[in-house]
Amino acid sequence: MRRIPLLAALTLGVPACGGDGGTQPGPTTGSISGRVTEGTSNNVAGAQIGLSGGATRTGTTDAGGAFNFADLAPGGYSVSVTPPQGFRLRSGDTQSKQATVTAGQAATINWDLDRETSGGEVVEIRLTGTSFDPADVTITPGTTVRWVNIDGIAHTVTPENASQTGVWQRQTTNTQGVVFSHTFAAAGQTYRYRCEPHSANFTTGMVGVIRVQ
Ligand SMILES: [Cu+2]
């Protein structure tokens, strides 16, 4: 067994004194992040976010409705949103909001949008038995799809790719009625989905597809 000499042990136990070199440099920048949603559960992807003030940048919300501007010098900023097709600002909300960045801190700015209701076509898909009816739907951008539980038993509407552009969040239902609605804004996307109790994969059983052209 090795023994630490008494003098060394004492030295190790005593904090360095003398004043220099004891402090670590703290963060000098902060960030502004946030999320754009519609209602309580729908993330809004593809919203354009603009930053001005201490820096000028642009970004777009991801599949989770999130955006993030990092490495910002402390100070005041203005953050604005441009809703994607099919959405508009909620009445009373403002397009441009102010944020103050503090070093080492994340400021948060959120928007909750409304769906554009003027002229948007609505397509209904019925959940009945072990089928989505119709199962294969082709729509144009801006169309709203509404899933309705007909038989009142447990189903889900589970997208194959939860990070796909413009995708909806997995939904569950066990009662009759409207399960949810989702407006498809992004063109050129094909969304495959299934009902978990009635399909083990995305190709057989209770499955569906939405094609946005
Ligand atoms: Cu089902």
Side-chain angles (χ1 to χ4, degrees), residues 127-132 151 153-157 173 194-199 206:
L127 289 65
T128 177
T130 56
S131 303
F132 292 105
D151 56 19
I153 68 172
H155 301 282
T156 73
V157 185
T173 172
R194 69 182 174 106
C195 167
E196 292 168 38
H198 299 123
S199 173
M206 188 167 172

Short mmCIF file of all heavy atoms in Angstrom, two decimals, residues 127-132 151 153-157 173 194-199 206, ligand 1:
data_model
loop_
_atom_site.label_atom_id
_atom_site.label_comp_id
_atom_site.label_asym_id
_atom_site.label_seq_id
_atom_site.Cartn_x
_atom_site.Cartn_y
_atom_site.Cartn_z
N LEU A 127 -62.62 5.47 -39.25
CA LEU A 127 -61.99 4.34 -38.57
C LEU A 127 -63.10 3.38 -38.20
O LEU A 127 -63.94 3.69 -37.34
CB LEU A 127 -61.25 4.77 -37.30
CG LEU A 127 -59.96 5.58 -37.42
CD1 LEU A 127 -60.20 6.94 -38.04
CD2 LEU A 127 -59.32 5.74 -36.05
N THR A 128 -63.16 2.25 -38.89
CA THR A 128 -64.27 1.34 -38.66
C THR A 128 -63.80 -0.10 -38.81
O THR A 128 -63.15 -0.43 -39.81
CB THR A 128 -65.44 1.66 -39.62
OG1 THR A 128 -66.47 0.71 -39.42
CG2 THR A 128 -65.00 1.71 -41.06
N GLY A 129 -64.11 -0.92 -37.81
CA GLY A 129 -63.67 -2.31 -37.84
C GLY A 129 -62.16 -2.39 -37.82
O GLY A 129 -61.52 -1.94 -36.87
N THR A 130 -61.60 -2.92 -38.90
CA THR A 130 -60.14 -3.01 -38.99
C THR A 130 -59.65 -2.28 -40.24
O THR A 130 -58.69 -2.69 -40.88
CB THR A 130 -59.67 -4.47 -39.02
OG1 THR A 130 -60.33 -5.14 -40.11
CG2 THR A 130 -60.00 -5.19 -37.72
N SER A 131 -60.33 -1.17 -40.56
CA SER A 131 -59.96 -0.42 -41.76
C SER A 131 -60.02 1.08 -41.55
O SER A 131 -60.83 1.57 -40.75
CB SER A 131 -60.91 -0.76 -42.92
OG SER A 131 -60.92 -2.13 -43.20
N PHE A 132 -59.17 1.78 -42.31
CA PHE A 132 -59.36 3.20 -42.55
C PHE A 132 -60.11 3.30 -43.89
O PHE A 132 -59.73 2.66 -44.86
CB PHE A 132 -58.02 3.93 -42.67
CG PHE A 132 -57.26 4.00 -41.38
CD1 PHE A 132 -56.15 3.18 -41.17
CD2 PHE A 132 -57.62 4.88 -40.36
CE1 PHE A 132 -55.43 3.24 -39.99
CE2 PHE A 132 -56.91 4.94 -39.18
CZ PHE A 132 -55.81 4.12 -38.99
N ASP A 151 -66.76 3.17 -34.91
CA ASP A 151 -67.26 2.06 -34.10
C ASP A 151 -66.97 2.24 -32.60
O ASP A 151 -67.43 1.42 -31.78
CB ASP A 151 -66.69 0.73 -34.59
CG ASP A 151 -65.17 0.73 -34.63
OD1 ASP A 151 -64.56 1.59 -33.95
OD2 ASP A 151 -64.59 -0.09 -35.34
N ILE A 153 -64.38 1.75 -30.84
CA ILE A 153 -63.39 0.90 -30.17
C ILE A 153 -62.00 1.53 -30.29
O ILE A 153 -61.83 2.55 -30.96
CB ILE A 153 -63.40 -0.54 -30.74
CG1 ILE A 153 -62.90 -0.56 -32.18
CG2 ILE A 153 -64.79 -1.16 -30.62
CD1 ILE A 153 -62.72 -1.97 -32.71
N ALA A 154 -61.03 0.93 -29.62
CA ALA A 154 -59.69 1.53 -29.53
C ALA A 154 -58.95 1.42 -30.86
O ALA A 154 -58.82 0.34 -31.43
CB ALA A 154 -58.89 0.84 -28.43
N HIS A 155 -58.50 2.55 -31.35
CA HIS A 155 -57.66 2.62 -32.54
C HIS A 155 -56.57 3.67 -32.28
O HIS A 155 -56.68 4.48 -31.36
CB HIS A 155 -58.45 3.10 -33.77
CG HIS A 155 -59.60 2.25 -34.15
ND1 HIS A 155 -59.47 1.06 -34.82
CD2 HIS A 155 -60.93 2.43 -33.97
CE1 HIS A 155 -60.68 0.55 -35.04
NE2 HIS A 155 -61.58 1.36 -34.52
N THR A 156 -55.55 3.66 -33.13
CA THR A 156 -54.59 4.76 -33.17
C THR A 156 -54.43 5.22 -34.62
O THR A 156 -54.76 4.48 -35.55
CB THR A 156 -53.20 4.38 -32.62
OG1 THR A 156 -52.54 3.54 -33.59
CG2 THR A 156 -53.31 3.65 -31.28
N VAL A 157 -53.94 6.43 -34.78
CA VAL A 157 -53.54 6.93 -36.10
C VAL A 157 -52.07 7.28 -35.96
O VAL A 157 -51.72 8.37 -35.52
CB VAL A 157 -54.38 8.13 -36.54
CG1 VAL A 157 -54.01 8.55 -37.96
CG2 VAL A 157 -55.87 7.81 -36.45
N THR A 173 -57.62 6.83 -29.82
CA THR A 173 -59.06 7.05 -29.63
C THR A 173 -59.68 5.77 -29.10
O THR A 173 -59.22 4.66 -29.41
CB THR A 173 -59.74 7.44 -30.96
OG1 THR A 173 -61.15 7.47 -30.75
CG2 THR A 173 -59.41 6.45 -32.05
N ARG A 194 -50.66 3.68 -39.57
CA ARG A 194 -51.35 2.44 -39.20
C ARG A 194 -52.11 2.65 -37.89
O ARG A 194 -51.90 3.62 -37.17
CB ARG A 194 -50.35 1.30 -39.01
CG ARG A 194 -49.45 1.44 -37.78
CD ARG A 194 -48.45 0.29 -37.70
NE ARG A 194 -47.48 0.49 -36.62
CZ ARG A 194 -47.52 -0.20 -35.46
NH1 ARG A 194 -48.46 -1.09 -35.23
NH2 ARG A 194 -46.61 0.03 -34.54
N CYS A 195 -52.99 1.68 -37.60
CA CYS A 195 -53.65 1.59 -36.30
C CYS A 195 -52.91 0.50 -35.52
O CYS A 195 -52.83 -0.65 -35.97
CB CYS A 195 -55.11 1.22 -36.48
SG CYS A 195 -55.90 0.73 -34.94
N GLU A 196 -52.36 0.86 -34.38
CA GLU A 196 -51.52 -0.09 -33.64
C GLU A 196 -52.26 -1.36 -33.20
O GLU A 196 -51.72 -2.45 -33.33
CB GLU A 196 -50.86 0.62 -32.45
CG GLU A 196 -49.82 1.65 -32.92
CD GLU A 196 -49.36 2.57 -31.80
OE1 GLU A 196 -49.21 2.07 -30.66
OE2 GLU A 196 -49.18 3.77 -32.05
N PRO A 197 -53.50 -1.27 -32.66
CA PRO A 197 -54.18 -2.52 -32.27
C PRO A 197 -54.50 -3.42 -33.46
O PRO A 197 -54.68 -4.63 -33.28
CB PRO A 197 -55.47 -2.03 -31.60
CG PRO A 197 -55.18 -0.64 -31.17
CD PRO A 197 -54.25 -0.09 -32.22
N HIS A 198 -54.59 -2.86 -34.67
CA HIS A 198 -55.07 -3.64 -35.81
C HIS A 198 -54.06 -3.77 -36.93
O HIS A 198 -54.42 -4.17 -38.05
CB HIS A 198 -56.38 -3.02 -36.33
CG HIS A 198 -57.48 -3.03 -35.30
ND1 HIS A 198 -58.13 -1.90 -34.88
CD2 HIS A 198 -58.00 -4.06 -34.58
CE1 HIS A 198 -59.02 -2.23 -33.95
NE2 HIS A 198 -58.95 -3.53 -33.75
N SER A 199 -52.81 -3.41 -36.67
CA SER A 199 -51.77 -3.63 -37.67
C SER A 199 -50.42 -3.66 -36.97
O SER A 199 -50.14 -2.84 -36.10
CB SER A 199 -51.77 -2.53 -38.72
OG SER A 199 -50.65 -2.69 -39.58
N MET A 206 -54.73 -2.73 -40.67
CA MET A 206 -55.40 -1.41 -40.67
C MET A 206 -54.35 -0.33 -40.92
O MET A 206 -53.76 0.21 -39.99
CB MET A 206 -56.13 -1.20 -39.34
CG MET A 206 -57.01 0.04 -39.32
SD MET A 206 -58.12 0.03 -37.89
CE MET A 206 -58.84 1.66 -38.00
CU CU B 1 -57.87 0.06 -35.37
#
